[in-house]
Amino acid sequence: MKKKHSTLAFAVGLGLGLAIAVPGASAAEAADAAAPRSNAAAAARPNALWSYQPVIAVAAPKVKAARWVRTPIDAFVLAKLEEKGLKPSPDADRAAFIRRATLDVWGVIPTPEEVRQFVSDRSPDAYEKLADRLLASPKYGERQARRWLDLARYADSAGFQGDQTRPNMWRYRDWVIKAFNADKPYDQFIQEQLAGDEIKPGDQDALVATGFLRGFPDNINSRDLVQKKYQHTTDMTDTVGEVFLAQTVGCARCHNHKADRISQKEYFQLQAFFANTSAVDDIPAAKGAAELAYEQADAKWKAATAEIRAKQKAIIDKVREPAKHYLLDRYSQATQASLRKLYSTPEAQWTPHDRWIINRFSDYGTDDVLAAYLRDNADPSAEQYQPEYAALADDYRKLGEELRKFDKLKPAGGSLEISAMTELGQTQAPPTHLLFGGDFERPVEEVQPGFPAAITSEKPVIVPTEKSSGRRTALARWIASPGNPLTARVYANRVWDQYFGRGIVETLSDFGKAGQKPSHPELLDHLASSFVEHGWSVKQLHREILLSSVYRQSSAFRQDIASADPENRLLAVFPRRRLDAETIRDSLLVASGSLTEKIGGPSVFPPVPSNLYTGNAWKVSADKDDWNRRSLYIFTRRSIPYPLLQPFDIANTQQAHAKRDITTTPLQALTLFNSEIVFDWSKALAGRVLRERGGSASAQLDGLFEIAYARKPDKQEKTTLLAFLDSQERVLKAQAANGKFAVNVPIGLEKAGPLDPIRAAAFVDLTHAVVNSNEFTYRF
């Protein structure tokens, strides 16, 4: 396609090679090397692990209850159930289904109007129209982007003790959103993220796409840049192995893999694909509205601070040369060897290794860093003490304090640059060595780029471009080839996990021997082969699952299934699942009518608790509309996770995060119950209900449930809720009589007419309870 639960429970409880243009290789030889290999060739691996076997399209099995089969998916699942003498569950009611599907595809609850429209649509293609509408919405791309950013270890800061802001990374986040909404074929999606700079040189979007590789945590203050280079290439290698191939290749960095047939040498052959890859954070971005607004604000700040900054520069200029050498002396010996070429050797004589080191150093050696020379040597006991240094250091400090007074003039967010991974305009890559015990200081033999022999017998044939080695292109096209036995399986399995809470292979990023075997191997191959057959269309993959009878089943408890299949691996019942952190927050925003529906742009800073010390790391956005953006757009600072999301198992940004934990802890209920932000949203929701449903208590309760749960309360629930309102009203009146009550008036009722403030406050408390319930925070 390129196109009945406890309401007030508080528990919250292979294939394709690419042309290494070997000197002397002809264009015909390169083209032949790049041609897809047949399945017959790949099939000549009888002893290979199941996941290394070629993907073969399997015919859907014959089943007895054929009328239940809506898509081929259903036949594969039903066949397993019939083997065990089990029957699938009936369809969920329509209101429950649209709530489920909307939460899964959009990451927010549906509106009552959307629910009513679907429930009342009795046309034979009602479910198809719903699926197409969900997949066509920009909200789909936002939801899928959040899933992918977990894998990309996305953050807006570098991590470690400095945790410096990365002002450009939001561009990668926005690229991912656009890619999913445009249904960019997954094979292109892979290639642009791994080698966009090589495949589409000069293309801004392709450069931004390489932010996938750029997302690594980074200690900018590292004094051993040789070690840092090793850490960066290690991160990229391990991440690519886990995310695209579901291979724990990192286990082979220090020794041969203990479980899989991946040798230490093969690990470093994979690292060699990234040997010449370097982060570049100052590529000029095309100037759109956001960039022009940033430029205007930045110009005002620069004009206001020009004199101060000039005085700072004048101070550093007095000691620039000794300060540079002082800084260099603090690096490792191996690093110094490269850095000194920066000042003493023509650029033409720099080696590829030198270029990487010098590029990373140039991002760090700012005037503020050089000022450390003055501070460190201002004391008479310092090794390089000069009498005037104390005065210069003090002057520089005072100027810094003056400069900070103009911080409010700085642009609130955004940038004029792109962060990307390139090869610094050079085709020659530094050598890669197998390292004894994985120790970067103990190189052994030099290795060339290569693929693990256990997966494929193909050899990379690399064609350098004008400004790059071409190595990552070779790797990217092999990974993204139809003949690769892992790529389509791995991604289809990830999408299945999104909908059913468990992958067909439960270990989403480990398709090796230590991982779990597939519960439905033929189904996995069907999904993978269909995925490729449909042009790697991610939306088509989602659509087939959404339209299946398996996905349409009720989640109502069945004792027979609980006894026969306690973990529900056979999927005779639709699995219930607690919503993830972002979906809970975003659904609260939708319910309260507070959501700011703006797509993309620089990350935002909603308020955090006043007792959370953040220093200058969390400057709350001045525009209050930004406070209510989707959670996807909240600034992801590695050292300061957003407090409202943290108790609900948000992703670990330090490494590729394949699957969210689903825990039930008291802190979750306490967070929702005690958070002033959540209580304000509850007041806004109460105001919305009173505004839309008038003065009838029965109509108000219906409206509240329709917004929060996509259904009306039954008779018993309504009786209980009305009794609570009466009881809570008496409690609040007693508090008011004692002078201990501050009225919590619903928000947004300025034009609602006369209102009993006590009764309205009681309704706020009821609303707050409803959004703290299991039924709101779970998907059924």
Side-chain angles (χ1 to χ4, degrees), residues 42-362:
R45 305 170 63 80
N47 299 317
L49 186 67
W50 71 266
S51 58
Y52 302 160
Q53 299 286 354
V55 175
I56 299 176
V58 182
K62 293 182 179 181
V63 292
K64 298 174 184 177
R67 294 182 61 184
W68 189 74
V69 176
R70 292 187 172 100
T71 74
I73 289 172
D74 301 323
F76 290 103
V77 173
L78 184 57
K80 292 274 189 180
L81 290 173
E82 289 183 344
E83 285 178 12
K84 300 293 184 180
L86 302 174
K87 294 182 179 181
S89 294
D91 288 355
D93 69 75
R94 286 194 169 203
F97 180 83
I98 186 175
R99 187 178 191 271
R100 171 195 302 172
T102 307
L103 284 166
D104 282 346
V105 181
W106 287 359
V108 293
I109 55 173
T111 66
E113 294 75 18
E114 290 165 340
V115 175
R116 283 193 290 270
Q117 181 181 359
F118 175 66
V119 170
S120 63
D121 185 357
R122 293 300 166 182
S123 61
D125 61 346
Y127 284 85
E128 285 81 356
K129 288 188 294 186
L130 172 63
D132 291 342
R133 180 175 65 81
L134 293 175
L135 294 171
S137 169
K139 294 185 179 71
Y140 158 80
E142 291 176 313
R143 175 62 172 163
Q144 291 307 306
R146 181 59 272 169
R147 297 281 192 170
W148 187 259
L149 295 177
D150 284 7
L151 293 168
R153 70 267 190 262
Y154 174 85
D156 294 297
S157 68
F160 293 90
Q161 66 269 29
D163 202 20
Q164 288 82 6
T165 292
R166 288 177 170 171
N168 308 331
M169 288 306 294
W170 61 272
R171 299 184 192 277
Y172 171 70
R173 179 246 290 147
D174 285 3
W175 180 88
V176 175
I177 296 171
K178 292 177 184 177
F180 279 115
N181 277 330
D183 201 19
K184 182 185 288 288
Y186 185 64
D187 58 343
Q188 294 182 30
F189 184 73
I190 293 171
Q191 293 177 55
E192 290 177 23
Q193 289 180 92
L194 298 185
D197 59 310
E198 292 184 336
I199 296 170
K200 297 181 178 181
D203 185 298
Q204 174 168 306
D205 283 347
L207 281 171
V208 171
T210 63
F212 174 84
L213 298 175
R214 180 67 183 96
F216 50 77
D218 186 16
N219 184 4
I220 196 171
N221 195 35
S222 171
R223 295 309 191 192
D224 193 333
L225 298 185
V226 177
Q227 180 186 41
K228 177 183 281 195
K229 183 179 190 303
Y230 179 43
Q231 290 170 338
H232 292 182
T233 52
T234 294
D235 175 277
M236 289 185 282
T237 305
D238 296 359
T239 299
V240 168
E242 288 183 30
V243 172
F244 298 112
L245 303 174
Q247 297 295 294
T248 56
V249 296
C251 295
R253 179 162 62 95
C254 303
H255 49 69
N256 293 343
H257 202 296
K258 298 296 185 182
D260 299 324
R261 292 174 57 192
I262 300 175
S263 69
Q264 188 187 19
K265 179 177 180 179
E266 288 174 317
Y267 175 82
F268 285 101
Q269 287 178 314
L270 283 173
Q271 268 211 6
F273 286 106
F274 302 102
N276 203 38
T277 307
S278 184
V280 181
D281 298 315
D282 59 356
I283 302 171
K287 292 182 182 179
E291 287 74 24
L292 290 173
Y294 181 95
E295 192 172 49
Q296 290 174 1
D298 189 50
K300 291 180 181 179
W301 176 82
K302 286 179 176 177
T305 61
E307 184 177 352
I308 297 173
R309 291 183 292 109
K311 290 179 178 178
Q312 285 184 316
K313 181 179 182 299
I315 291 174
I316 298 301
D317 283 344
K318 294 179 179 179
V319 296
R320 189 170 297 279
E321 288 306 312
K324 287 193 298 188
H325 290 286
Y326 179 78
L327 178 60
L328 293 182
D329 288 343
R330 268 128 191 86
Y331 283 88
S332 67
Q333 291 297 317
T335 302
Q336 287 185 43
S338 291
L339 290 180
R340 295 197 183 281
K341 291 185 179 181
L342 175 64
Y343 304 117
S344 61
T345 308
E347 183 176 348
Q349 297 180 24
W350 295 352
T351 68
H353 178 81
D354 293 334
R355 293 182 190 280
W356 193 100
I357 300 296
I358 291 166
N359 176 63
R360 295 315 299 155
F361 173 77
S362 64

Side-chain angles (χ1 to χ4, degrees), residues 328-551:
L328 293 182
D329 288 343
R330 268 128 191 86
Y331 283 88
S332 67
Q333 291 297 317
T335 302
Q336 287 185 43
S338 291
L339 290 180
R340 295 197 183 281
K341 291 185 179 181
L342 175 64
Y343 304 117
S344 61
T345 308
E347 183 176 348
Q349 297 180 24
W350 295 352
T351 68
H353 178 81
D354 293 334
R355 293 182 190 280
W356 193 100
I357 300 296
I358 291 166
N359 176 63
R360 295 315 299 155
F361 173 77
S362 64
D363 290 344
Y364 179 68
T366 65
D367 281 5
D368 281 344
V369 171
L370 295 177
Y373 172 72
L374 292 173
R375 294 193 300 271
D376 292 351
N377 292 290
D379 189 276
S381 63
E383 183 178 348
Q384 299 185 37
Y385 168 74
Q386 294 290 337
E388 68 270 21
Y389 283 177
L392 290 173
D394 191 52
D395 288 344
Y396 195 88
R397 177 187 60 79
K398 290 177 180 177
L399 288 168
E401 292 175 352
E402 285 296 311
L403 194 62
R404 284 190 288 275
K405 294 178 181 179
F406 294 88
D407 280 355
K408 291 183 179 180
L409 292 180
K410 285 185 176 181
S415 68
L416 298 175
E417 293 84 32
I418 293 169
S419 287
M421 300 299 286
T422 75
E423 301 199 4
L424 305 180
Q426 303 296 316
T427 61
Q428 184 184 4
T432 298
H433 292 84
L434 186 155
L435 303 177
F436 184 85
D439 186 344
F440 75 100
E441 293 182 323
R442 303 182 70 181
V444 189
E445 62 178 294
E446 184 176 347
V447 299
Q448 298 301 321
F451 309 131
I455 303 175
T456 182
S457 59
E458 297 295 329
K459 306 297 180 185
V461 184
I462 299 172
V463 181
T465 70
E466 183 181 351
K467 296 182 178 181
S468 197
S469 70
R471 291 185 176 192
R472 283 174 291 118
T473 298
L475 177 65
R477 289 186 174 163
W478 171 68
I479 291 175
S481 70
N484 191 306
L486 290 163
T487 308
R489 280 184 175 127
V490 169
Y491 189 71
N493 189 60
R494 294 194 192 279
V495 174
W496 186 267
D497 174 76
Q498 291 182 27
Y499 286 100
F500 296 101
R502 175 187 282 126
I504 297 171
V505 178
E506 193 166 354
T507 48
L508 303 181
S509 291
D510 188 356
F511 274 37
K513 285 186 177 180
Q516 296 291 317
K517 292 183 178 180
S519 60
H520 297 73
E522 295 83 5
L523 171 57
L524 181 58
D525 272 18
H526 161 74
L527 292 171
S529 60
S530 177
F531 184 32
V532 175
E533 181 184 346
H534 286 89
W536 299 87
S537 169
V538 177
K539 285 191 177 183
Q540 176 61 33
L541 178 59
H542 282 267
R543 191 176 192 271
E544 184 175 2
I545 294 173
L546 282 167
L547 296 179
S548 67
S549 292
V550 182
Y551 185 72

Side-chain angles (χ1 to χ4, degrees), residues 731-764:
V731 171
L732 296 178
K733 282 182 177 179
Q735 291 178 341
N738 294 329
K740 298 179 180 179
F741 174 62
V743 177
N744 288 310
V745 179
I747 295 174
L749 289 179
E750 292 79 5
K751 299 180 181 180
L755 186 72
D756 179 351
I758 303 297
R759 185 71 173 186
F763 190 70
V764 168

